[in-house]
Every structure is written in C-alpha cells, then in structure tokens.
Amino acid sequence: MATVKQSSGNRWTSAIIPALLIHIPIGTVYCWSVFKQLIADQLHVSASSVEWGFSLAIFFLGMSAAFAGPMVEKDIKKSALVSMICFVVGFAGTGVSIALGFLPGVFICYGAIMGVGLGVGYLTPVKNLMLWFTDNKGLATGVAVAGFGLSKALASPAMEWLIGVVGLVGMFYVLAAVYAVMMVIGFLLIQRPAGWSYDPVASHVSRLSILKKPVFWGIWMAFYINITCGLALISQEKDILHDVLQALPRYAALDASDFAAAIAGIIGLVLAVDSVFNTAGRVGFSALSDHLKRRESVYQVIFVMSIAVCALQMVTGSIDNALLWAVLAMLFLVNAGYGGGFSTLPVLLDQHFGTKTVSTTHGLTLSAWAFAGLSGNQLASFVVTHAPDQAHRYAALIPVLTVLFVVALASITAVKAVGRRGMK
C-alpha cells in the first residue's frame, strides 16, 4: 500500500469537504430534543416511550460501525453511498411514520435504518483523512468530526423554523431532501489519495485477535466511560440549569410562567455555547495529540479536567448553592472533553494498531458508543430518581460521574504504560 501526498486543494475537495458534507447531516441526531416532545404529542404517547427512538439510533450507530469497518476499508464510495441511502430513508421514513401515527415506525426508521446510516457515515471519512493528512492526522480528523458536533448548533434553529413553517412532518421531508443533496455531493467528491490501493492481505485484521488484546479493552473502557458520563450530564443539563437559575434572587420571586419565559433565552444560549465547546474540544484535543509523544496523554488531560470540575462542584456545592459560574464551568469543560474523546480516538487506535486496519479497529471501538447510548441517560435518570434527598437530586449525580472518570483515567493510564513498553 502506498500513499502519495497531494496538494492542499485536493486534500480539501477529496477529504475535508466530503467529510463535512457527510458528518454535518448525520450529526443532526443530537437535535432529538428539538422535536421529541412534538412526536410524543402528535402520536399521543408519553415522551419516555418516544425516547427509545434516540437510544436505538445511537445503539445502531455504534453496532453498525463495529461491523462496517471492512467495507469502509475496501470501498469508501460504497460506504458513503450506503450511509446516504440509510440516513435519508430513515430520516424521511420518520416523517412518514409520524404522519401515519405509527410509533414502531419511528423506532424502525429513526432508530434502526437511520442508525445504520449514522454508523457507516461516521466511520467513512476517518481513515481517508488520515491518509491525506499524514503529518497532522489528529487535526484532520478533529476538523471533520467537529462537523458532527457543530451540527446541532446549525440544525436546531433551522428545525425550529421549519416546524413553524411546514409542520413537524414537513420538516423531516424538507431536511431529508437537503441532506440527500449534501451527502450525494460528499459521495461524489470523496476519494482516496492517488497511489493508494486496497490490499486485502495487508488491510485484513481478525476482529477476534483485536478483541483478545487488553490494550483494546483499556481504550474501549476509557472511551465508553467518557461517553456515558457526557451523556449522563448532558441529559440533565436543562434541569440542572433550571434549578440553579430558580435559586438566584433575580428569579426567585417570579411565578412559573414568568420564570419559564425569563430563563428560556439563557438556557438556549448555554446549550449553544455547549455545542461550541463540544466542537472546540473535537478540534483542539485532537490537534494537541499531534504534538504529544503519546496520544493517551490527551485522554489523561480530558479525564483530569473532568475530575477537577466535578470535584469543584462537590467542594463548592455549586448546584445547590446556585454558583452559576461553577456549574457552567463543569458543563462546558465536560462537553469539551466529551467531544475531544471522539476526535482523538482514531489517531490513538492508529498508534496502537496501525493505519492499515484503523477502519476496523475504530469501528469495533465505536461499539462502546452503542452501549453508552443506552446507559448514559438511564444512569443519570436512575441516580436522580433514587437520590435519598430529592431536594439535592442533581448534585447526587456528580460524585458518581467523578468515580467513573477516575476509573477511565486509570484505564487509559494503563494503556499508556503498556504502549511505552511496546506491548500490543
């Protein structure tokens, strides 16, 4: 297998731009909160019942990525096409299911079919970027994966506007058409560098042999915990902010309707800034990894930072004492680490298993995302619901996350020690 460096223009049109055209559409999966209650209202079911649509989408994302690695390795055009078809059909099919009042259709289309498009599409551009940007692999993958994180900030207001103009079902149809165009262009543009050819012998790797390596499971565990903790905190974000703002003197005397109107803009702004931190983390941490001897060091920074901001909350009681600055620091920095964990993963796997098999190893590790998608929200809900003191239920979640981050730090530190010894 040979890799020939190309001009910057070719790198953009063959790698970066198609990666963004694929990742920005599929990143709208994180816009679920924009319309989930509307789906529940239109189908006359509980919001908790509808919530399975998102959980299934993340589960199928991770599991399809786990099995799509060899296909992406062999034929990037095919994987880009499969991603586009599954994502667009699933997204449009969700609109059809809502129009028919068929809740299982939402699970099938948004959860299963679209979920497969998410997983294959997420995996498709990664190795391609690493081949085109051999000297800055972390930065290249970070920029593309940033499109997945930034998508929420871009799509949420568009979805709100479309729902107001064409209705909920119409929004799904319009965006399905827009995303189809974007992903088709991405499919047409994406290509491997000249001089690269698929070598079935060199590119083949036994999944079983990877799964037998302790290093793989150390990375998998650290990645899984980072996502689980991120989703656990993100899922409770609005409620945490609601309680903190309600305790501030300027809002304490307001009745429920006035208070809701007063804080709506603040919460919207915080969620938008969250998306910025998530995106900045994806670019910043992966770019940082290019300048460090060991890629594991970035994960150590992420986990130490996350432990520190969680410990700050426990020491100051920021949620219960309405210390908004400390709460925002925790939300923003955990979000940045959450995004950075995704973008740094491919280059970390490249360091341990090599570029030739990164599509397969990356896909297998993304299975952690599937399980974290099922466990993150549920963990937070369980802790909050069963907190012995319901007046401080959200504060009860933070010590649990802190312990998990400590476990993740220990796991990635062990991986780093093994890597230093040259044991794979």
Side-chain angles (χ1 to χ4, degrees), residues 88 108 178 209 243 402 418:
V88 171
I108 294 169
V178 171
S209 68
D243 280 15
T402 305
V418 171

Side-chain angles (χ1 to χ4, degrees), residues 313-363:
Q313 191 285 319
M314 291 188 290
V315 171
T316 62
S318 58
I319 295 178
D320 296 331
N321 295 325
L323 300 179
L324 185 59
W325 65 271
V327 172
L328 292 180
M330 178 178 65
L331 295 177
F332 292 159
L333 293 181
V334 169
N335 259 288
Y338 175 80
F342 280 103
S343 60
T344 309
L345 178 64
V347 287
L348 174 59
L349 293 166
D350 173 47
Q351 178 178 269
H352 283 277
F353 299 99
T355 305
K356 292 180 180 179
T357 59
V358 75
S359 294
T360 299
T361 54
H362 188 205

Side-chain angles (χ1 to χ4, degrees), residues 253-272:
L254 298 179
D255 61 30
S257 59
D258 290 338
F259 174 69
I263 69 168
I266 297 174
I267 291 181
L269 176 61
V270 170
L271 296 180

